[in-house]
Amino acid sequence: MEEVLNEIPDTNIELTPAECDLANLVSIKNFVSTTLKEENSLDVVCYNAGIACNTAASECLRTKEGFELTVGTNHFGHFYLNQLILPKIKQNTGRIVVTASSVHDPDSPGGAQGSKATLGTLEGLQRDGIMFEMVDGEKFDADKAYKDSKLCNVLFTREL
C-alpha cells in the first residue's frame, strides 16, 4: 500500500485493503457488508473483471456457486456487486464504469477471430440454470465464453 500511496504525492488518502472474489457470491456479500458498511455513498465504481481461460481449454471451470467461471466472474460477479451497492452510489453524481472489450463485437478485429460472441436465446440459462456451460446452450468454448462475458458487460452497461 505504501508503494501505491507514494505514487500519489501530496494527497491525503486512506486505502483499505479488502478481498472481493467476484467468483464467489459470499465473498462479494461479505465485502459489501464489512468493507462498505461505513460508507453512506460512493462516488465512482469501476467494474473491471477480465478473467479468461486458455482458448484451448475444454474443461468448464465453475465459480463457487456453480456458474461457468468466465461469465460467472466477469458478468454475474459484477452484476451482484452492483445490485448490493447501487443504493450507495451517489444519486445524480455517482458514476459506474464498466470495462469491456471490442471482442464482444463479431465485426471487430478481435471479435472476428475464433469463436463469435452470441447469447442466442439464452437457452443454456433457461435449460440448465446456474449449471450452464454456455449462455446460448452450446458446448463449452473458452474463447466464446470470454467474448460472451464481454457482451454481457456491454448489455449490462446499456441497461444502467
Side-chain angles (χ1 to χ4, degrees), residues 110-146:
Q113 303 299 312
S115 301
K116 310 293 188 268
T118 174
L119 304 177
T121 62
L122 308 178
E123 183 180 339
L125 287 173
Q126 294 171 347
R127 182 187 65 219
D128 304 324
I130 65 170
M131 295 306 292
F132 71 92
E133 286 193 8
M134 298 299 294
V135 173
D136 64 4
E138 297 297 322
K139 186 176 183 301
F140 179 72
D141 176 338
D143 182 37
K144 185 176 179 314
Y146 179 76

Side-chain angles (χ1 to χ4, degrees), residues 58-125:
S58 59
E59 180 182 0
C60 180
L61 301 176
R62 305 241 170 230
T63 67
K64 176 91 171 155
E65 287 74 24
F67 294 105
E68 184 279 317
L69 184 64
T70 310
V71 173
T73 303
N74 297 354
H75 173 62
F76 289 122
H78 283 159
F79 185 86
Y80 183 57
L81 177 59
N82 190 71
Q83 293 307 304
L84 295 177
I85 66 173
L86 196 56
K88 293 179 179 274
I89 297 173
K90 286 187 171 181
Q91 291 200 1
N92 301 323
T93 61
R95 297 290 182 255
I96 300 172
V97 178
V98 181
T99 60
S101 169
S102 63
V103 299
H104 78 278
D105 179 0
D107 293 330
S108 73
Q113 303 299 312
S115 301
K116 310 293 188 268
T118 174
L119 304 177
T121 62
L122 308 178
E123 183 180 339
L125 287 173

Side-chain angles (χ1 to χ4, degrees), residues 18-31 49 51 62-65 69 72-73 76-78 80-81:
E19 179 180 336
C20 184
D21 180 353
L22 292 173
N24 181 333
L25 300 182
V26 172
S27 175
I28 296 168
K29 187 172 185 179
N30 288 343
F31 169 75
I51 182 175
R62 305 241 170 230
T63 67
K64 176 91 171 155
E65 287 74 24
L69 184 64
T73 303
F76 289 122
H78 283 159
Y80 183 57
L81 177 59

